[in-house]
Amino acid sequence: MIIGFQRIKNFFLFLKKLETSRQNLRMRLIHYYLYNLRIHILRKFKLKRQYKKIGLISTNLETYGYCNRKCDFCFNSNRFKQREKGIMPVATWEKIIDELSEMKFCGRISPHFYGEPLLDKRLPKLIMYARRKCPNAYILIVSNGDYLNEELFKILIKNGVNQFSVTNYDDVEKTYLKMLVKKYPAHIIVKNYRDFHKTDRAGEIFDKRITLNISCLRPSAQLVVNWKGEVLLCCMDYYARCKFGNVNVQTISEIWNSKNFKRYRVKLQKGKREKISICKYCDDSGKIPW
């Protein structure tokens, strides 16, 4: 009974956040609530069917390969050899989105990998295209927030972004982020870099050299595409060491269902991380990514 009461309380809290956000966005009541009902509630039923059918429920699509930060716990740090960086062509983005649309994709779409998405000036148009083609997808922007302002925030929300997940990588609170959370609580979450676990990505960030013999479901549920269009094993593969194809010359379906990709997934599902070089010392929990 306590659990049921808490769910009801959380639901009304969510409605309050929606209404505060709607009023400040100045969006029509019926349109706003029907849209959010579809995305937050009805979509989940379709998502379960999608996972059972093809597994794929989330995507990291890097439109912009550059980042303005050099965090010590990231491969973009100067202490690591830097990969080749560039910008995904619009045609590649549209091809990916078109193929997801054909799948009736209703999972997560995020325009990031190791680049900062808000550096990409094309982002509002790219998001608009994704929303038009994938009306039931959940579009999440993961950002350091350095280039976020209220005007850009509102444009991206109205173009189809459902939520911003912002990490403050400085030691002081930022007034403009607090303002955005207060005015648009249903569409932005802000956390500080000190408040979350730092993953030893591919066992190279902290070089702990500890092997976890537990299953990893990331490659079974998440599509990761870098700015070149290369499909990678997972979001830990900064240097693109495990590539399974390129969306510019193959379809997502061909790559996702390839024998080689499936072989890697089975190994990781069985917890055989030591059989894959970039997974051997990775300490990620291996849960289904969202």
Side-chain angles (χ1 to χ4, degrees):
M1 189 162 179
I2 295 175
I3 295 175
F5 175 76
Q6 188 61 45
R7 285 180 177 175
I8 294 172
K9 183 179 178 181
N10 290 341
F11 178 71
F12 280 102
L13 180 61
F14 176 62
L15 287 180
K16 183 179 179 181
K17 289 181 177 181
L18 281 177
E19 183 56 21
T20 299
S21 302
R22 183 194 71 80
Q23 289 182 11
N24 287 315
L25 287 167
R26 298 185 178 181
M27 295 181 71
R28 289 179 296 152
L29 189 145
I30 295 177
H31 171 79
Y32 182 80
Y33 279 100
L34 286 178
Y35 169 69
N36 280 283
L37 174 67
R38 186 179 81 240
I39 296 296
H40 291 283
I41 299 177
L42 299 180
R43 179 187 59 84
K44 291 184 178 181
F45 295 100
K46 295 181 179 181
L47 189 62
K48 289 181 180 178
R49 292 200 299 269
Q50 181 178 285
Y51 181 64
K52 288 181 180 179
K53 185 178 180 180
I54 62 174
L56 178 58
I57 61 169
S58 68
T59 65
N60 289 0
L61 312 174
E62 184 178 47
T63 68
Y64 204 83
Y66 302 90
C67 185
N68 60 300
R69 294 229 170 210
K70 303 289 182 182
C71 300
D72 192 55
F73 45 85
C74 176
F75 282 116
N76 283 318
S77 169
N78 289 328
R79 67 191 182 93
F80 293 105
K81 177 184 176 181
Q82 293 302 293
R83 60 172 182 152
E84 182 184 359
K85 298 174 183 178
I87 301 172
M88 177 182 284
V90 172
T92 301
W93 171 264
E94 292 183 350
K95 182 177 184 294
I96 294 170
I97 297 301
D98 287 347
E99 291 178 19
L100 290 176
S101 177
E102 290 173 8
M103 297 178 190
K104 297 185 179 352
F105 185 74
C106 58
R108 173 177 65 79
I109 296 176
S110 289
H112 74 268
F113 178 43
Y114 281 90
E116 166 52 47
L118 296 185
L119 284 170
D120 191 345
K121 302 302 181 184
R122 309 166 304 166
L123 194 59
K125 290 185 178 180
L126 299 181
I127 293 299
M128 183 183 291
Y129 188 85
R131 173 54 69 210
R132 180 161 56 85
K133 289 286 187 171
C134 299
N136 295 313
Y138 188 90
I139 302 179
L140 173 70
I141 301 290
V142 179
S143 169
N144 59 36
D146 292 349
Y147 294 88
L148 186 60
N149 55 55
E150 188 172 13
E151 181 183 5
L152 179 59
F153 179 91
K154 291 169 71 174
I155 289 172
L156 287 168
I157 291 294
K158 290 179 179 180
N159 281 14
V161 170
N162 297 109
Q163 191 172 63
F164 286 80
S165 177
V166 178
T167 301
N168 178 6
Y169 289 102
D170 293 318
D171 293 320
V172 295
E173 281 192 313
K174 296 179 179 177
T175 304
Y176 73 95
L177 291 179
K178 290 178 65 176
M179 177 273 293
L180 289 174
V181 171
K182 184 177 181 179
K183 293 182 70 174
Y184 312 101
H187 300 293
I188 182 169
I189 295 173
V190 176
K191 56 187 176 182
N192 190 275
Y193 77 98
R194 294 168 296 186
D195 299 331
F196 63 89
H197 171 71
K198 315 298 188 299
T199 301
D200 193 9
R201 296 173 180 268
E204 296 186 42
I205 299 295
F206 305 113
D207 200 25
K208 296 177 182 177
R209 297 288 159 175
I210 298 173
T211 301
L212 297 180
N213 293 312
I214 59 174
S215 65
C216 179
L217 301 177
R218 279 190 174 276
S220 299
Q222 186 176 70
L223 176 74
V224 178
V225 185
N226 65 16
W227 65 270
K228 292 182 178 181
E230 296 168 332
V231 175
L232 311 179
L233 180 62
C234 83
C235 59
M236 310 298 173
D237 194 4
Y238 177 80
Y239 297 108
R241 288 169 175 158
C242 287
K243 295 178 284 192
F244 297 94
N246 191 302
V247 296
N248 289 303
V249 294
Q250 297 166 275
T251 67
I252 291 172
S253 182
E254 287 171 344
I255 299 169
W256 186 257
N257 295 306
S258 67
K259 289 183 179 179
N260 194 33
F261 208 163
K262 287 181 178 179
R263 187 160 50 85
Y264 273 76
R265 286 197 200 107
V266 170
K267 286 181 182 179
L268 291 170
Q269 287 166 1
K270 293 180 178 179
K272 296 181 179 180
R273 298 189 182 202
E274 76 282 357
K275 300 294 183 180
I276 303 172
S277 60
I278 70 165
C279 305
K280 185 175 182 179
Y281 298 119
C282 182
D283 68 350
D284 186 77
S285 67
K287 294 180 180 179
I288 294 175
W290 177 248

